[in-house]
Amino acid sequence: MPHISLNNFTDLLVDAICVVDARGHFLYVSAAGEQIFGYRPDEMIGRNMLDFIHPGDRERTLNAVDDIMAGQPKPHFENRYLRKDGSTVHIMWSARWSESDRIRVAVARDITERKRAESRQAAIYAIADAANILGDLDGLFRRIHQVVDDLLCASNFAVALYHADTRQLDFPYRAHPDGAAPDVTALISRVLKERVIERGQSLLLSADELRSQFQVPVGPDIAHWLAAPIKSNNEVLGALLVLGPAGHARFSEQDRELLQFVAVQVATAMERKNILLRLERMARYDPLTDLPNRTLFLDRLQTALKKAHREQRRLALLYLDLDKFKQVNDTHGHLAGDRLLQEVARRLTGCVRESDTVARLGGDEFVVLLENIQQPEEAEPVARKIEQALAARYELAEAVLHIRPSIGMAIYPDHGDSELELMDHADNAMYQTKKLSLAAVPRPRFSPNT
């Protein structure tokens, strides 16, 4: 029988066979290792495996090594290695420990393409899911950061939005483990505007390229740059940015393509999120005055009542409408009426604290919720202030108007414990005030006890 060398067979395998000692130093790497790792076998032998493992996977890999050396085989362990050219390769290992020989034997399979496809699909699902959840854009950006971090180990990540009218960038979301100095922020804005926003192209820069192209000093926290524009209908909305420190693996062309792919999904998600936010706002805010509508006001009133009950405090509800408002519409037109309502809303908001709520129920009916009052008499000055503010003349494009409000008041818990009871009491008090006004009877002072 002819002599058969094991190397003749192992070098024909697509997967790489590796042997390491107890301390993790390579003793043998088959020929396929060069295709997978980018290093010739002789460049790896004698070196520790930690020299090649992606920094983000070192701790997890060492934990797996402990399990293998304790007698637990790992037939499908996955981690990332850094190739000689700086790119990242995803590897699935099948490894066992030989106690008698004091070595670990493992088979390495390159699964980079599979992982890239899985990552893209996972990114699509994750970003689409975040876009469908009601909430602000900050929640969407946090989820996008999680997606990009999973793909690229991007702890230093930012979302920049571009305002074409002012040609300025702002950063609604930014995650930097150590914070960012103002000069770094200025540099980031400059590079993004000049290379990503204005050109509409992704960006891959090393520290050396940054120094030579922008003539700026580069610190250890921003050694590697990766950015991609967020584009919608040929309009650049902003950019995604990942900064890698000096110890971070260099970003590759595959990483650039991956971030650009995510940016495309982000553009779609932002459009959808903005539509959802507009619909949500339309459902809860009055489109004419931009005040909370009846639905949102009742939600806030219910919350305020629970808080007042829990803290044993009072709250006041003011219900008001405008005397002879119909005559404004009939005489000067509905556009004048709309402008009058918008000015009333502005004046009402200026009469109360930021913690209070002003809402439009419909037509010329408004409500004001005053929270955290100790005594019923505390609400009366606010009612007087509102009456005086709304009684001042209105200089509209169509006419100069003089109009007065009728205001009714209800106090919790004096006039009721529920939203309905308080609303009814304040509404009835308002109509009593209006009757006196129409009958030309002097209005009494507001009495919380009426």
Side-chain angles (χ1 to χ4, degrees):
M1 182 176 179
H3 173 73
I4 299 176
S5 172
L6 185 61
N7 287 342
N8 293 338
F9 292 99
T10 58
D11 288 348
L12 293 175
L13 296 176
V14 176
D15 297 338
I17 297 177
C18 303
V19 179
V20 299
D21 63 20
R23 294 179 298 169
H25 293 91
F26 283 101
L27 302 176
Y28 172 81
V29 180
S30 66
E34 184 172 0
Q35 183 68 28
I36 295 175
F37 302 110
Y39 293 89
R40 297 190 313 272
D42 63 284
E43 293 178 303
M44 298 183 69
I45 292 174
R47 293 180 62 181
N48 195 282
M49 65 178 189
L50 292 179
D51 295 341
F52 306 96
I53 296 174
H54 192 288
D57 289 350
R58 286 173 183 167
E59 183 177 356
R60 189 167 58 86
T61 300
L62 289 174
N63 292 334
V65 167
D66 290 340
D67 292 340
I68 293 169
M69 295 182 69
Q72 303 176 32
K74 292 287 183 179
H76 303 293
F77 177 73
E78 298 179 5
N79 67 359
R80 292 168 296 176
Y81 266 55
L82 298 180
R83 292 172 52 85
K84 189 175 182 178
D85 62 5
S87 62
T88 300
V89 58
H90 292 261
I91 299 175
M92 182 172 68
W93 296 90
S94 177
R96 298 193 64 146
W97 167 250
S98 172
E99 180 64 34
S100 59
D101 299 307
R102 302 293 294 171
I103 59 172
R104 290 197 310 276
V105 180
V107 178
R109 172 168 295 178
D110 185 348
I111 57 171
T112 303
E113 289 303 318
R114 191 199 82 193
K115 296 296 290 186
R116 186 174 292 122
E118 290 175 353
S119 297
R120 291 191 175 203
Q121 196 64 40
I124 292 174
Y125 288 144
I127 295 172
D129 184 58
N132 288 325
I133 298 174
L134 291 179
D136 58 15
L137 283 173
D138 188 60
L140 173 63
F141 295 149
R142 284 197 301 272
R143 186 68 184 98
I144 291 168
H145 182 196
Q146 293 173 356
V147 171
V148 176
D149 195 22
D150 289 342
L151 297 174
L152 301 172
C153 293
S155 59
N156 194 341
F157 172 80
V159 178
L161 295 183
Y162 181 64
H163 303 279
D165 54 342
T166 61
R167 296 176 57 83
Q168 296 297 316
L169 281 176
D170 71 69
F171 295 85
Y173 181 86
R174 188 164 183 175
H176 190 296
D178 303 313
D183 58 336
V184 174
T185 299
L187 173 63
I188 289 172
S189 296
R190 177 189 169 196
V191 174
L192 286 182
K193 280 198 290 186
E194 293 182 11
R195 296 291 299 275
V196 180
I197 301 298
E198 294 179 1
R199 299 184 185 184
Q201 299 176 350
S202 58
L203 174 70
L204 176 61
L205 280 179
S206 67
D208 291 339
E209 291 170 329
L210 192 64
R211 290 190 191 95
S212 62
Q213 295 178 28
F214 290 90
Q215 292 79 48
V216 293
V218 179
D221 290 338
I222 52 173
H224 311 296
W225 290 56
L226 186 64
I230 304 171
K231 295 194 291 187
S232 175
N233 298 323
N234 296 322
E235 178 186 2
V236 179
L237 306 177
L240 303 181
L241 173 67
V242 180
L243 298 177
H248 191 284
R250 287 187 60 187
F251 297 119
S252 64
E253 284 296 330
Q254 289 82 5
D255 294 332
R256 184 212 290 255
E257 293 174 4
L258 193 56
L259 189 65
Q260 183 61 71
F261 173 81
V262 172
V264 171
Q265 310 308 313
V266 170
T268 302
M270 285 177 60
E271 289 179 345
R272 182 171 181 80
K273 175 64 74 175
N274 282 326
I275 291 173
L276 289 174
L277 290 173
R278 285 197 296 270
L279 291 174
E280 182 183 13
R281 187 167 187 85
M282 288 170 60
R284 298 173 70 81
Y285 285 83
D286 173 53
L288 178 64
T289 63
D290 206 35
L291 294 177
N293 62 13
R294 181 185 293 269
T295 300
L296 180 55
F297 177 77
L298 292 176
D299 284 347
R300 291 187 180 179
L301 177 56
Q302 186 179 53
T303 301
L305 285 172
K306 292 178 180 178
K307 180 181 177 183
H309 176 74
R310 184 172 61 251
E311 298 178 357
Q312 296 186 339
R313 290 176 175 267
R314 282 185 165 88
L315 61 79
L317 177 66
L318 306 182
Y319 199 121
L320 65 98
D321 73 0
L322 307 177
D323 296 348
K324 301 179 181 180
F325 174 73
K326 184 176 183 299
Q327 294 180 13
V328 175
N329 282 333
D330 294 343
T331 305
H332 303 287
H334 288 281
L335 181 58
D338 288 347
R339 288 175 174 165
L340 174 61
L341 292 174
Q342 290 171 337
E343 178 60 18
V344 167
R346 188 190 68 80
R347 294 184 187 185
L348 278 173
T349 303
C351 289
V352 299
R353 303 164 298 184
E354 288 188 6
S355 59
D356 298 325
T357 297
V358 178
R360 182 189 178 206
L361 300 183
D364 62 324
E365 292 185 332
F366 296 82
V367 283
V368 179
L369 175 61
L370 306 175
E371 297 189 57
N372 298 324
I373 62 173
Q374 297 289 349
Q375 299 298 327
E377 292 77 15
E378 294 178 26
E380 184 176 343
V382 180
R384 292 295 180 193
K385 183 178 180 181
I386 290 174
E387 183 178 40
Q388 293 172 4
L390 300 191
R393 72 177 186 173
Y394 297 81
E395 296 183 0
L396 307 179
E398 295 77 8
V400 176
L401 302 176
H402 294 272
I403 198 162
R404 297 187 64 185
S406 293
I407 304 176
M409 183 187 304
I411 302 293
Y412 167 86
D414 306 54
H415 300 133
D417 296 325
S418 68
E419 307 98 283
L420 181 60
E421 290 175 328
L422 293 173
M423 292 284 283
D424 283 346
H425 185 92
D427 188 19
N428 290 332
M430 183 266 290
Y431 275 105
Q432 290 299 319
T433 303
K434 183 176 292 291
K435 286 180 182 179
L436 295 174
S437 176
L438 296 177
V441 177
R443 302 184 185 207
R445 290 184 62 79
F446 293 100
S447 175
N449 296 318
T450 56

